[in-house]
PDB file of all heavy atoms in Angstrom:
ATOM      1  N   LEU C 237       8.337  -4.049 -10.319  1.00 92.00           N
ATOM      2  CA  LEU C 237       8.938  -4.832 -11.400  1.00 92.00           C
ATOM      3  C   LEU C 237       7.914  -5.742 -12.045  1.00 92.00           C
ATOM      4  O   LEU C 237       6.896  -6.092 -11.439  1.00 92.00           O
ATOM      5  CB  LEU C 237      10.153  -5.634 -10.888  1.00 92.00           C
ATOM      6  CG  LEU C 237      10.024  -6.744  -9.855  1.00 92.00           C
ATOM      7  CD1 LEU C 237      11.320  -7.565  -9.803  1.00 92.00           C
ATOM      8  CD2 LEU C 237       9.716  -6.199  -8.491  1.00 92.00           C
ATOM      9  N   SER C 238       8.199  -6.086 -13.278  1.00 91.00           N
ATOM     10  CA  SER C 238       7.330  -7.000 -14.017  1.00 91.00           C
ATOM     11  C   SER C 238       8.098  -8.217 -14.522  1.00 91.00           C
ATOM     12  O   SER C 238       7.489  -9.189 -14.961  1.00 91.00           O
ATOM     13  CB  SER C 238       6.672  -6.289 -15.201  1.00 91.00           C
ATOM     14  OG  SER C 238       7.660  -5.798 -16.079  1.00 91.00           O
ATOM     15  N   SER C 239       9.423  -8.154 -14.454  1.00 92.00           N
ATOM     16  CA  SER C 239      10.242  -9.289 -14.866  1.00 92.00           C
ATOM     17  C   SER C 239      11.641  -9.110 -14.329  1.00 92.00           C
ATOM     18  O   SER C 239      12.042  -7.977 -13.977  1.00 92.00           O
ATOM     19  CB  SER C 239      10.276  -9.412 -16.391  1.00 92.00           C
ATOM     20  OG  SER C 239      10.895  -8.273 -16.940  1.00 92.00           O
ATOM     21  N   GLY C 240      12.398 -10.199 -14.247  1.00 94.00           N
ATOM     22  CA  GLY C 240      13.817 -10.130 -13.958  1.00 94.00           C
ATOM     23  C   GLY C 240      14.162  -9.727 -12.540  1.00 94.00           C
ATOM     24  O   GLY C 240      13.647 -10.286 -11.580  1.00 94.00           O
ATOM     25  N   LYS C 241      15.047  -8.770 -12.426  1.00 96.00           N
ATOM     26  CA  LYS C 241      15.682  -8.445 -11.158  1.00 96.00           C
ATOM     27  C   LYS C 241      15.964  -6.956 -11.102  1.00 96.00           C
ATOM     28  O   LYS C 241      16.283  -6.336 -12.110  1.00 96.00           O
ATOM     29  CB  LYS C 241      16.988  -9.243 -11.103  1.00 96.00           C
ATOM     30  CG  LYS C 241      17.890  -9.014  -9.922  1.00 96.00           C
ATOM     31  CD  LYS C 241      19.111  -9.928 -10.078  1.00 96.00           C
ATOM     32  CE  LYS C 241      20.157  -9.694  -9.032  1.00 96.00           C
ATOM     33  NZ  LYS C 241      21.305 -10.616  -9.183  1.00 96.00           N
ATOM     34  N   LYS C 242      15.825  -6.386  -9.891  1.00 95.00           N
ATOM     35  CA  LYS C 242      16.213  -4.992  -9.686  1.00 95.00           C
ATOM     36  C   LYS C 242      17.025  -4.899  -8.401  1.00 95.00           C
ATOM     37  O   LYS C 242      16.783  -5.637  -7.447  1.00 95.00           O
ATOM     38  CB  LYS C 242      14.983  -4.079  -9.599  1.00 95.00           C
ATOM     39  CG  LYS C 242      14.297  -3.852 -10.928  1.00 95.00           C
ATOM     40  CD  LYS C 242      13.298  -2.715 -10.849  1.00 95.00           C
ATOM     41  CE  LYS C 242      12.736  -2.417 -12.216  1.00 95.00           C
ATOM     42  NZ  LYS C 242      11.758  -1.305 -12.192  1.00 95.00           N
ATOM     43  N   LYS C 243      17.953  -3.954  -8.379  1.00 95.00           N
ATOM     44  CA  LYS C 243      18.828  -3.796  -7.219  1.00 95.00           C
ATOM     45  C   LYS C 243      18.920  -2.327  -6.851  1.00 95.00           C
ATOM     46  O   LYS C 243      19.010  -1.461  -7.730  1.00 95.00           O
ATOM     47  CB  LYS C 243      20.219  -4.348  -7.550  1.00 95.00           C
ATOM     48  CG  LYS C 243      21.213  -4.322  -6.393  1.00 95.00           C
ATOM     49  CD  LYS C 243      22.517  -4.995  -6.825  1.00 95.00           C
ATOM     50  CE  LYS C 243      23.475  -5.218  -5.656  1.00 95.00           C
ATOM     51  NZ  LYS C 243      23.998  -3.978  -5.087  1.00 95.00           N
ATOM     52  N   HIS C 244      18.857  -2.067  -5.540  1.00 93.00           N
ATOM     53  CA  HIS C 244      19.040  -0.697  -5.062  1.00 93.00           C
ATOM     54  C   HIS C 244      19.772  -0.778  -3.739  1.00 93.00           C
ATOM     55  O   HIS C 244      19.203  -1.196  -2.721  1.00 93.00           O
ATOM     56  CB  HIS C 244      17.699   0.017  -4.905  1.00 93.00           C
ATOM     57  CG  HIS C 244      17.847   1.430  -4.453  1.00 93.00           C
ATOM     58  ND1 HIS C 244      18.355   2.416  -5.265  1.00 93.00           N
ATOM     59  CD2 HIS C 244      17.569   2.026  -3.279  1.00 93.00           C
ATOM     60  CE1 HIS C 244      18.375   3.559  -4.605  1.00 93.00           C
ATOM     61  NE2 HIS C 244      17.906   3.349  -3.398  1.00 93.00           N
ATOM     62  N   GLY C 245      21.047  -0.427  -3.761  1.00 95.00           N
ATOM     63  CA  GLY C 245      21.839  -0.511  -2.533  1.00 95.00           C
ATOM     64  C   GLY C 245      21.939  -1.950  -2.070  1.00 95.00           C
ATOM     65  O   GLY C 245      22.385  -2.836  -2.820  1.00 95.00           O
ATOM     66  N   ARG C 246      21.510  -2.211  -0.828  1.00 96.00           N
ATOM     67  CA  ARG C 246      21.577  -3.565  -0.274  1.00 96.00           C
ATOM     68  C   ARG C 246      20.316  -4.384  -0.553  1.00 96.00           C
ATOM     69  O   ARG C 246      20.202  -5.522  -0.092  1.00 96.00           O
ATOM     70  CB  ARG C 246      21.811  -3.479   1.229  1.00 96.00           C
ATOM     71  CG  ARG C 246      23.161  -2.867   1.621  1.00 96.00           C
ATOM     72  CD  ARG C 246      23.345  -2.795   3.129  1.00 96.00           C
ATOM     73  NE  ARG C 246      22.395  -1.888   3.755  1.00 96.00           N
ATOM     74  CZ  ARG C 246      21.331  -2.292   4.444  1.00 96.00           C
ATOM     75  NH1 ARG C 246      21.076  -3.587   4.632  1.00 96.00           N
ATOM     76  NH2 ARG C 246      20.516  -1.400   4.988  1.00 96.00           N
ATOM     77  N   LEU C 247      19.394  -3.826  -1.262  1.00 96.00           N
ATOM     78  CA  LEU C 247      18.136  -4.504  -1.548  1.00 96.00           C
ATOM     79  C   LEU C 247      18.126  -5.032  -2.975  1.00 96.00           C
ATOM     80  O   LEU C 247      18.550  -4.336  -3.904  1.00 96.00           O
ATOM     81  CB  LEU C 247      16.954  -3.544  -1.357  1.00 96.00           C
ATOM     82  CG  LEU C 247      16.766  -2.916   0.020  1.00 96.00           C
ATOM     83  CD1 LEU C 247      15.579  -1.975   0.006  1.00 96.00           C
ATOM     84  CD2 LEU C 247      16.586  -3.982   1.076  1.00 96.00           C
ATOM     85  N   ILE C 248      17.617  -6.271  -3.116  1.00 97.00           N
ATOM     86  CA  ILE C 248      17.485  -6.888  -4.428  1.00 97.00           C
ATOM     87  C   ILE C 248      16.097  -7.504  -4.506  1.00 97.00           C
ATOM     88  O   ILE C 248      15.673  -8.203  -3.578  1.00 97.00           O
ATOM     89  CB  ILE C 248      18.528  -8.002  -4.634  1.00 97.00           C
ATOM     90  CG1 ILE C 248      19.950  -7.446  -4.435  1.00 97.00           C
ATOM     91  CG2 ILE C 248      18.390  -8.627  -6.016  1.00 97.00           C
ATOM     92  CD1 ILE C 248      21.005  -8.541  -4.282  1.00 97.00           C
ATOM     93  N   ALA C 249      15.397  -7.260  -5.599  1.00 97.00           N
ATOM     94  CA  ALA C 249      14.095  -7.886  -5.823  1.00 97.00           C
ATOM     95  C   ALA C 249      14.170  -8.697  -7.099  1.00 97.00           C
ATOM     96  O   ALA C 249      14.706  -8.230  -8.105  1.00 97.00           O
ATOM     97  CB  ALA C 249      13.002  -6.832  -5.925  1.00 97.00           C
ATOM     98  N   THR C 250      13.631  -9.903  -7.028  1.00 97.00           N
ATOM     99  CA  THR C 250      13.586 -10.769  -8.207  1.00 97.00           C
ATOM    100  C   THR C 250      12.159 -11.254  -8.403  1.00 97.00           C
ATOM    101  O   THR C 250      11.362 -11.306  -7.459  1.00 97.00           O
ATOM    102  CB  THR C 250      14.509 -11.989  -8.039  1.00 97.00           C
ATOM    103  OG1 THR C 250      14.025 -12.788  -6.946  1.00 97.00           O
ATOM    104  CG2 THR C 250      15.940 -11.571  -7.762  1.00 97.00           C
ATOM    105  N   ILE C 251      11.853 -11.592  -9.637  1.00 96.00           N
ATOM    106  CA  ILE C 251      10.537 -12.144  -9.924  1.00 96.00           C
ATOM    107  C   ILE C 251      10.665 -13.255 -10.940  1.00 96.00           C
ATOM    108  O   ILE C 251      11.449 -13.146 -11.898  1.00 96.00           O
ATOM    109  CB  ILE C 251       9.549 -11.042 -10.394  1.00 96.00           C
ATOM    110  CG1 ILE C 251       8.136 -11.596 -10.519  1.00 96.00           C
ATOM    111  CG2 ILE C 251      10.017 -10.412 -11.697  1.00 96.00           C
ATOM    112  CD1 ILE C 251       7.072 -10.518 -10.673  1.00 96.00           C
ATOM    113  N   ASN C 252       9.928 -14.348 -10.706  1.00 95.00           N
ATOM    114  CA  ASN C 252       9.871 -15.474 -11.641  1.00 95.00           C
ATOM    115  C   ASN C 252       8.424 -15.577 -12.102  1.00 95.00           C
ATOM    116  O   ASN C 252       7.560 -16.041 -11.364  1.00 95.00           O
ATOM    117  CB  ASN C 252      10.330 -16.759 -10.946  1.00 95.00           C
ATOM    118  CG  ASN C 252      10.391 -17.927 -11.907  1.00 95.00           C
ATOM    119  OD1 ASN C 252       9.493 -18.130 -12.730  1.00 95.00           O
ATOM    120  ND2 ASN C 252      11.449 -18.709 -11.805  1.00 95.00           N
ATOM    121  N   ILE C 253       8.189 -15.113 -13.311  1.00 92.00           N
ATOM    122  CA  ILE C 253       6.817 -15.026 -13.819  1.00 92.00           C
ATOM    123  C   ILE C 253       6.202 -16.418 -13.961  1.00 92.00           C
ATOM    124  O   ILE C 253       5.036 -16.643 -13.628  1.00 92.00           O
ATOM    125  CB  ILE C 253       6.795 -14.289 -15.163  1.00 92.00           C
ATOM    126  CG1 ILE C 253       7.263 -12.839 -14.980  1.00 92.00           C
ATOM    127  CG2 ILE C 253       5.413 -14.337 -15.796  1.00 92.00           C
ATOM    128  CD1 ILE C 253       6.365 -12.008 -14.131  1.00 92.00           C
ATOM    129  N   GLN C 254       6.999 -17.386 -14.425  1.00 93.00           N
ATOM    130  CA  GLN C 254       6.465 -18.749 -14.650  1.00 93.00           C
ATOM    131  C   GLN C 254       6.022 -19.380 -13.337  1.00 93.00           C
ATOM    132  O   GLN C 254       4.996 -20.041 -13.271  1.00 93.00           O
ATOM    133  CB  GLN C 254       7.512 -19.627 -15.326  1.00 93.00           C
ATOM    134  CG  GLN C 254       7.727 -19.322 -16.808  1.00 93.00           C
ATOM    135  CD  GLN C 254       8.475 -18.028 -17.027  1.00 93.00           C
ATOM    136  OE1 GLN C 254       9.319 -17.642 -16.221  1.00 93.00           O
ATOM    137  NE2 GLN C 254       8.183 -17.363 -18.138  1.00 93.00           N
TER     138      GLN C 254
END
Side-chain angles (χ1 to χ4, degrees):
Chain C
L237 65 166
S238 60
S239 64
K241 176 179 174 178
K242 287 193 174 180
K243 183 176 190 293
H244 181 71
R246 295 180 295 105
L247 301 178
I248 303 166
T250 64
I251 187 167
N252 185 317
I253 296 295
Q254 286 73 32

